[in-house]
Amino acid sequence: MPIPLSQLVAELEALACRRAVQFALEIGLRRVTFEGDLVTVINAIVRRSPEFLPYENVIDDIRFQTLDFQFSDFCHVKRNCNIVADTLAKKPKHCTRLQVWLKDLLEDIIPLVLFDVHRVI
């Protein structure tokens, strides 16, 4: 989904995380793990940082919404270990509306998923 206006990278990552949390709630997930490649955002969510962040309200929204899950976790992963998510995150540059894929994979994403699966095995 495109996010309008140009913001700090960390703010964009926090906004994307908040939308992922909202989406997980909308489709009825109750036990979730969220992964992100920006350690400052993940740390801000997991640890209550004493310093003020310009996107602190977004972090607070994420924390509040996670109260509706039975279990939730936030993990930092390196971008090269999260190729599928990174590729999907770049897709809104070429679209103007929300797009959701629940069952079928996009043809250009299939090789990336297979690469990730074979790396884990």
Side-chain angles (χ1 to χ4, degrees):
M1 133 176 222
I3 299 175
L5 305 176
S6 166
Q7 290 114 351
L8 302 169
V9 172
E11 185 176 2
L12 287 170
E13 184 84 9
L15 288 166
C17 183
R18 178 175 67 184
R19 185 61 188 111
V21 170
Q22 290 168 342
F23 181 68
L25 288 169
E26 288 169 7
I27 64 171
L29 299 178
R30 293 292 164 231
R31 300 178 61 77
V32 293
T33 298
F34 298 97
E35 296 179 345
D37 61 14
L38 198 56
V39 71
T40 54
V41 173
I42 297 298
N43 284 345
I45 296 167
V46 174
R47 301 180 188 108
R48 298 193 185 275
S49 174
E51 64 186 74
F52 175 77
L53 300 170
Y55 50 91
E56 188 70 36
N57 60 328
V58 177
I59 300 296
D60 290 342
D61 285 350
I62 292 168
R63 288 188 195 126
F64 179 74
Q65 290 179 32
T66 58
L67 297 174
D68 290 335
F69 293 115
Q70 291 173 356
F71 170 84
S72 65
D73 190 23
F74 292 85
C75 301
H76 172 257
V77 294
K78 294 180 180 176
R79 184 170 294 152
N80 63 353
C81 296
N82 206 8
I83 296 170
V84 174
D86 190 53
T87 303
L88 288 172
K90 292 175 181 167
K91 285 205 171 282
K93 290 179 183 177
H94 309 290
C95 68
T96 58
R97 61 182 175 76
L98 173 67
Q99 294 181 345
V100 177
W101 306 278
L102 290 177
K103 296 181 181 177
D104 298 325
L105 291 174
L106 299 172
E107 285 189 28
D108 60 330
I109 299 298
I110 292 171
L112 301 175
V113 171
L114 293 174
F115 177 76
D116 274 356
V117 168
H118 289 291
R119 227 178 20 188
V120 172
I121 297 176

